[in-house]
Amino acid sequence: MGPFPVKLTHLRRLTDDTGIIEHCIGKIPRRKEGYSTDDNARALWACVEWGRYAHRTGNNEEGERLASLADTYLAFLAWVQKDDGHFHNNVAYDRQWEPEQPSDDCLGRVLWATATAAVWDIDRDRARVAQRLCQNGFRAIGSIQFPRGMAHVLSAASLLVREAEANPELEQPFRDWVLRELPSVARQFGDRLLHQYRRHTKPGWRWFEETMTYSNGVFPWALFHWYATFPSSEAQQAAKDSLDFLIEKMTGSHDVIRPIGNRGWCTPQGISQWDQQPVEVMKLAMACQQAYEVTGDKGYRAVLDKCRAWFHGDNDLGVPMADASDGSCCDGLTENGPNRNRGAESTLAYLITEAIFHQTMEGDDDECADEQS
């Protein structure tokens, strides 16, 4: 058993007995900003991914730390779920819910995170809680209007159907519900996402919207998940064409990853270079990992490697964004250097990208071993 690939020091620093705190001043949690359900969902997913890794590699000590953190994030999500299945997103440090409208993005992110915990968490009791939250959350999907919410719902439904079909030992009531209800959900949301693509794509612009803004990688990621569960040539082609287009737009000089900047986004007329957000690199890594798993195209694996390298300094300024000594990550890259605040979103973007990279590397090693045996 070798050393664990990432440090969880900053993740624990950000987490109190309520959940993960959203923002930091440098590396110090900014308590007055409170918590977001978005980040607690991402944190649960990160713990699920790294918990699977710890279990496979026999790293029981890190596995116990991850399980304790996952309990906190899951408890937060259970607390903020409303009677109609939606999840309240913004919570003040005094645990008071802040006024807001329901968020498609938030609902989608929680459905994905709880779906991964429902089928991959090795602790059966924790998995049952995630199953209940996830199933209740799917009751709210009728309100989804925006494409990023659609993409997360599609990915969660596709993953759950795939895992339920492959794992007869999954909790029977939950498995029965997945196989009965979610194939039609996946079809509905897959069709809606393809409609977005058909509506906006044109020569020189292979995309789902008129402007490439944030979380862009979720679109091809979702279509590759759908294709992996319910193969269709149109889904495969749209996933491939849109991901190739995104890679083109997110590749800078010297062949480094260059996230689309949030100071102007990307349109057919031009693209913003600054400020670069770590979460955009994570989303591209997610899409490339899923594309590589589905197609076997090593070009996508190479882009995944570049995404990981961006965090370690292979970027436009040649500066590390992540601090491997504690697992923290700077909030953004500007033309003047990194934003030194290290909040939850950026730190989780780094930790999840590392998890995706190591899961893929393990899969490649297993495939090589099979070929040699």
Side-chain angles (χ1 to χ4, degrees), residues 112-297:
W112 171 256
T114 53
T116 65
V119 296
W120 288 339
D121 198 307
I122 61 172
D123 184 285
R124 299 291 289 273
D125 290 331
R126 192 181 302 115
R128 288 189 192 100
V129 174
Q131 289 166 11
R132 186 176 72 179
L133 296 178
C134 189
Q135 187 171 348
N136 287 339
F138 266 94
R139 294 168 45 222
I141 62 173
S143 66
I144 295 282
Q145 301 179 49
F146 299 107
R148 284 162 188 79
M150 297 177 200
H152 279 94
V153 171
L154 176 58
S155 298
S158 299
L159 173 71
L160 289 170
V161 171
R162 200 159 63 242
E163 292 291 329
E165 290 176 342
N167 183 8
E169 295 183 2
L170 198 62
E171 296 289 326
Q172 197 63 43
F174 182 73
R175 183 171 185 267
D176 290 345
W177 168 78
V178 167
L179 296 177
R180 182 179 65 251
E181 301 291 340
L182 295 193
S184 62
V185 169
R187 182 167 55 252
Q188 174 193 353
F189 280 84
D191 288 342
R192 290 174 69 181
L193 206 56
L194 282 179
H195 175 73
Q196 283 284 131
Y197 185 71
R198 295 188 207 105
R199 179 183 170 193
H200 291 98
T201 192
K202 57 188 176 183
W205 188 257
R206 304 189 302 278
W207 202 241
F208 302 80
E209 297 174 306
E210 294 179 355
T211 302
M212 301 176 85
T213 56
Y214 69 98
S215 293
N216 295 299
V218 300
F219 299 131
W221 171 69
L223 288 181
F224 274 119
H225 266 292
W226 189 32
Y227 174 76
T229 311
F230 304 100
S232 90
S233 57
E234 185 178 12
Q236 182 187 34
Q237 195 64 51
K240 183 181 186 308
D241 289 349
S242 61
L243 179 53
D244 292 347
F245 184 66
L246 179 60
I247 292 169
E248 174 189 325
K249 295 299 182 182
M250 285 185 63
T251 301
S253 55
H254 308 297
D255 206 33
V256 301
I257 295 300
R258 176 182 289 166
I260 292 167
N262 66 5
R263 282 197 218 160
W265 308 120
C266 175
T267 68
Q269 290 73 44
I271 185 169
S272 173
Q273 182 175 354
W274 312 106
D275 295 339
Q276 300 179 16
Q277 303 296 303
V279 72
E280 298 306 314
V281 183
M282 180 194 86
K283 301 292 187 182
L284 180 60
M286 288 161 47
C288 287
Q289 184 274 335
Q290 190 61 29
Y292 176 55
E293 184 173 310
V294 169
T295 68
D297 186 335

Side-chain angles (χ1 to χ4, degrees), residues 1-63:
M1 180 181 68
F4 207 65
V6 295
K7 299 291 187 182
L8 303 174
T9 307
H10 192 58
L11 185 63
R12 293 197 299 272
R13 182 187 293 134
L14 285 169
T15 303
D16 60 17
D17 60 356
T18 298
I20 188 167
I21 293 171
E22 187 171 9
H23 294 297
C24 276
I25 307 171
K27 294 186 179 183
I28 304 304
R30 192 195 299 257
R31 291 174 176 166
K32 72 176 181 179
E33 301 291 342
Y35 314 86
S36 80
T37 297
D38 284 330
D39 288 329
N40 279 273
R42 292 187 187 104
L44 175 63
W45 178 26
C47 288
V48 169
E49 293 286 0
W50 281 114
R52 294 168 72 201
Y53 183 92
H55 178 69
R56 284 198 306 272
T57 57
N59 198 315
N60 297 330
E61 186 175 349
E62 289 294 354

